[in-house]
Amino acid sequence: MTATAEPEVGKARLRKEDARLITGRTRWTDNITLPGLLHLAFLRSPVAHARITAIDVSAARSMPGVIAVFTGRDLADEQGSLPCAWPITEDMKAPNAPSLAVDEVNFAGEAVAVVVARGPYEAADALSAIDVDYEELPVVLDMAAALADGADLVHPELGTNKSALWVFDSAQAGTGGDVDLAIAEAEVLIERTYRQQRLIPAFMEPRSVVVDPTGEQYTMWSATQIPHILRLMVALTTGIPEHKVRVIAPDVGGGFGGKLQVTPEEVVSLLVARRLGKPVKWTETRSESLLSAHHGRDQVQKLTLAARRDGTVTGLKVELLADMGAYLRLVTPGVPILGAFMFNAIYKFPAYHFACTTVFTNKTPTDAYRGAGRPEATYAIERLMDELAAEVGMDPLAVRELNWIKHEEFPFTTVAGLEYDSGDYEAATAKAKELFDYDGLRAEQAERRARGDVVQLGIGISTFTEMCGLAPSRVLGALSYAAGGWEHAAVRMLPSGKVEVVTGSSAHGQGHETAWSQIVADQLGVPFEDVEILHGDTQTSPRGLDTYGSRSLTVGAIAVVKAAEKVVAKARRIAAHLLECAEDDVEFSAGAFSVRGTDKSMAMSDIAFAVFSAHDLPEGMEPSLDAEATFDPENFSFPHGTHLCAAEVDTETGAVRLRKYVCVDDIGKVVNPLIVEGQVHGGLAQGIAQALYEEAVHDEAGTLVTGTFADYLLPSAADLPAFVTDRTETPSSTNPLGVKGVGEAGTIASTPAVVNAVVDAVRHLGVNDIAMPCTPMRVWTAIRTGRPDAGGPGSTEAGGGLGSLSGGAQ
């Protein structure tokens, strides 16, 4: 074995995974074929709210190739209710959520029957032969109307459309002052209402599931982000013993939170396979995905920011309405609550109040979408900081600098009760300004305004931080989340000196196999090529809590580090025995154990073979170097950054062109710069898409009218500028690698940067908000009407100021 000559961590390695992914020599769930495999197709409701008065499946059952047809009534006694793992308040209302509707449908796209056939086309053809009688009911779509007295109800048995009210107040929590007092004493009040439009994750690989009921257990392959959680939840939902369920997530083509779910189709596939004793497969069409896979965002944000005339913030009050859709899925109610701790962002607010009302509507259920609550919060506060700057006549960057936490103030406990362990907002902003040519672009903007150019230039700013590495189990417990946040790993030394690493994190495009190999290569001093990463199979990796919330590196990889440290400790003891010296005299470096002050040494591979042979081990020591570890961090990690966007707006057409985009992110220590760049670029594309392109729209009947990519607009590479990216580095103190999350950073920061740029371009024309997405029509309309605010009341002056890790109902 040749020891590594230089550290792997920090090296721009090409990804191990890419060869098989790019060439297609891999196993997606839809590629899996088993003997006797049957195919499923789901009949979905065309109406948003109705009673099911009759279903006739007799004609479908007699069609060629059809094996069986099941309705919700057929499976009513065994399908249970789809799980919600986050009861945010003790009195939260949660309706029964069947995988197949039994008596009533509550959103257009809800499954009402499933056809089982020998082929996928035969199954799909039989759907048209199923006759369903619907008695249509009033449709609830608007959240404010849903909460009004006498409103029609999505679930009449609940007696209300309100699921929960969750409140955090800094005065009550002891983390800050009284918001109402701050409002009363404010010299400046900024009041705005922003809309976070409904989005669709739009992952590249459609959802797919295969279930094999043969043998001693049920094996489920699924395009999922959460194989371990899925295994537990389908066992609890169906009553099948957990140890009789094996879940495998093979290569998964993206998720963005959209595959952080226990889906109706997974449960039904398992039940049908059990009923028939045959393997089954379901793969959704793209239209099914847009219609029935969970959606994201969909909030109305009413905000009040109090400040002094010099631009110093004194308080922040946030009142949210969050659309749950028709049901509570796995973490639906918790998504907006994650944002509660981020509205204060990087700023030193003395007082803070947050209240979120979660609301049922007759729409597709919402749940996690890249960033999950934190992009929504960052958007709101970064839009508000621009509004404050305009009101008090300051440069938007100057207002931010006046209020942000200075680098020498870390660690800093925020008004929301979080402890930010490290950061340097000054350094990231200074580098971004230089790369952007901030002063030069401001000068150009002034010249264009003075000339009255048709195409105006806007400069958008987003300085952000996020809580990521969703993990600390005690914190999640305080927030009533049902699970913990730890992660598990095992490191196995093979006799040849090669290494197998088992991780509970489950990749779906992040590059775990490459980054984990780099980390282990450094920890054990073995070549990068000699490390194999095993993941995504609950039999191979029996313990884990999977991938979401930028937790894989900051939690999952640290478990790998801890396991590797145990391997080294075991090997050190054996080396001391074989080298005939005291254990304290053994040094480990670059894959070799040496005796201090001598030339005696043994490579890690030599130790591995010595353990395999077991001819001469220390007394009482088992012949194994393998080790396991579970890591549960004390705190989140807090990446941050400054994003600057220059946008040109044609005032005659409303067209927006992104001219320049610069971002400087601080994600602590970097394991692989290429992977980081990929994550940032992908995140920027999604955040920009929310700002300018994407919106899931329902008509007055509750029908999704953006149900194809012809209607739901996604940007292509041609629609995006060349990104200028760079980094500063303040290592995290919450883990031994000093790493912070990066998977969601680009999405969180880019949306407000772009919208701020668009608004900045036309602010002098009387516009201070444009609803997302900022389409040419919306921009043009805002310019023509000269309305001060598309979303809420404008700035006002007042004679006086605003509005621990737990919140609750009030």
Side-chain angles (χ1 to χ4, degrees), residues 27-34 37-40 207-213 218-223 246-248 250 265-266 269-270 273 278-283:
R27 294 190 85 190
W28 309 109
T29 301
D30 190 47
N31 294 153
I32 294 168
T33 300
L34 302 172
L37 184 68
L38 302 176
H39 295 263
L40 307 186
R207 296 175 300 158
S208 183
V209 59
V210 173
V211 178
D212 184 1
Y218 297 90
T219 301
M220 174 185 288
W221 291 264
S222 181
R246 176 186 182 186
V247 174
I248 302 171
E265 296 83 7
E266 287 164 331
S269 296
L270 182 61
K278 297 284 188 180
V280 302
K281 177 193 285 187
W282 170 78
T283 300

Side-chain angles (χ1 to χ4, degrees), residues 254-279:
F256 311 124
K259 294 175 182 173
L260 199 179
Q261 197 55 261
V262 178
T263 69
E265 296 83 7
E266 287 164 331
V267 172
V268 171
S269 296
L270 182 61
L271 295 177
V272 170
R274 180 170 68 174
R275 280 265 187 127
L276 300 179
K278 297 284 188 180

Side-chain angles (χ1 to χ4, degrees), residues 316-585:
L316 178 65
K317 187 173 187 177
V318 179
E319 298 170 275
L320 290 189
L321 295 181
D323 194 336
M324 304 288 94
Y327 300 102
L328 302 181
R329 295 306 194 213
L330 191 63
V331 295
T332 303
V335 168
I337 305 310
L338 286 175
F341 302 101
M342 287 286 99
F343 275 90
N344 53 283
I346 66 173
Y347 307 114
K348 294 182 284 189
F349 280 97
Y352 174 56
H353 179 89
F354 172 94
C356 176
T357 302
T358 57
V359 185
F360 292 115
T361 63
N362 291 117
K363 299 178 189 175
T364 305
T366 58
D367 209 300
Y369 175 58
R370 198 170 189 172
R374 291 153 293 163
E376 297 93 311
T378 300
Y379 178 83
I381 188 58
E382 288 303 292
R383 289 287 295 113
L384 280 182
M385 294 305 287
D386 260 30
E387 297 304 296
L388 175 60
E391 177 64 23
V392 300
M394 292 178 67
D395 181 274
L397 269 178
V399 164
R400 288 167 169 83
E401 183 175 5
L402 176 67
N403 289 287
W404 70 35
I405 304 158
K406 305 300 188 290
H407 70 274
E408 65 271 13
E409 295 178 293
F410 289 95
F412 185 90
T413 300
T414 74
V415 73
L418 294 181
E419 183 181 277
Y420 295 175
D421 66 306
S422 67
D424 192 337
Y425 310 138
E426 300 97 310
T429 301
K431 182 173 281 191
K433 282 184 67 177
E434 180 181 358
L435 293 170
F436 190 68
D437 186 21
Y438 185 83
D439 294 336
L441 286 170
R442 281 293 185 201
E444 180 186 341
Q445 179 187 49
E447 292 170 3
R448 287 195 181 196
R449 287 189 179 181
R451 291 196 305 265
D453 285 0
V454 170
V455 178
Q456 288 290 310
L457 178 66
I459 296 172
I461 301 163
S462 176
T463 49
F464 83 103
T465 190
E466 59 158 321
M467 52 186 284
C468 71
L470 193 64
S473 295
R474 288 187 295 276
V475 174
L476 294 176
L479 294 173
S480 301
Y481 183 59
W486 50 265
E487 195 49 82
H488 185 75
V491 174
R492 303 198 294 237
M493 289 297 307
L494 304 181
S496 59
K498 313 300 184 185
V499 184
E500 289 180 337
V501 177
V502 180
T503 175
S505 297
S506 182
H508 45 280
Q510 294 88 342
H512 291 179
E513 293 175 32
T514 303
W516 275 224
S517 294
Q518 291 180 264
I519 292 167
V520 171
D522 281 355
Q523 293 292 317
L524 300 182
V526 300
F528 168 81
E529 295 79 10
D530 287 356
V531 183
E532 186 77 11
I533 310 300
L534 307 176
H535 62 89
D537 182 339
T538 61
Q539 189 156 290
T540 303
S541 171
R543 296 188 64 202
L545 284 171
D546 305 319
T547 296
Y548 41 87
S550 296
R551 70 187 304 271
S552 290
L553 179 62
T554 58
V555 188
I558 305 307
V560 172
V561 170
K562 297 292 186 182
E565 289 173 346
K566 292 181 180 180
V567 170
V568 172
K570 286 184 178 183
R572 187 189 305 275
R573 182 181 172 193
I574 296 168
H577 175 74
L578 296 175
L579 294 169
E580 299 179 327
C581 67
E583 189 173 339
D584 290 344
D585 290 334

Side-chain angles (χ1 to χ4, degrees), residues 137-174:
L137 299 170
V139 177
V140 178
L141 300 174
D142 180 79
M143 286 188 283
L147 296 174
D149 290 341
D152 294 314
L153 299 178
V154 178
H155 302 285
E157 71 276 12
L158 300 181
T160 177
N161 289 317
K162 183 174 81 171
S163 177
L165 171 64
W166 192 95
V167 176
F168 179 92
D169 186 89
S170 62
Q172 294 178 11

Side-chain angles (χ1 to χ4, degrees), residues 1-68:
M1 183 205 78
T2 302
T4 52
E6 59 179 306
E8 281 288 339
V9 170
K11 189 181 292 186
R13 281 276 191 184
L14 294 176
R15 301 197 322 173
K16 286 184 173 183
E17 303 91 327
D18 286 347
R20 71 173 189 271
L21 295 175
I22 292 171
T23 61
R25 295 177 179 176
T26 188
R27 294 190 85 190
W28 309 109
T29 301
D30 190 47
N31 294 153
I32 294 168
T33 300
L34 302 172
L37 184 68
L38 302 176
H39 295 263
L40 307 186
F42 286 86
L43 182 68
R44 301 185 183 277
S45 171
V47 296
H49 198 197
R51 293 188 185 91
I52 301 172
T53 57
I55 299 183
D56 184 354
V57 301
S58 56
R61 282 179 175 149
S62 64
M63 290 187 68
V66 172
I67 303 299

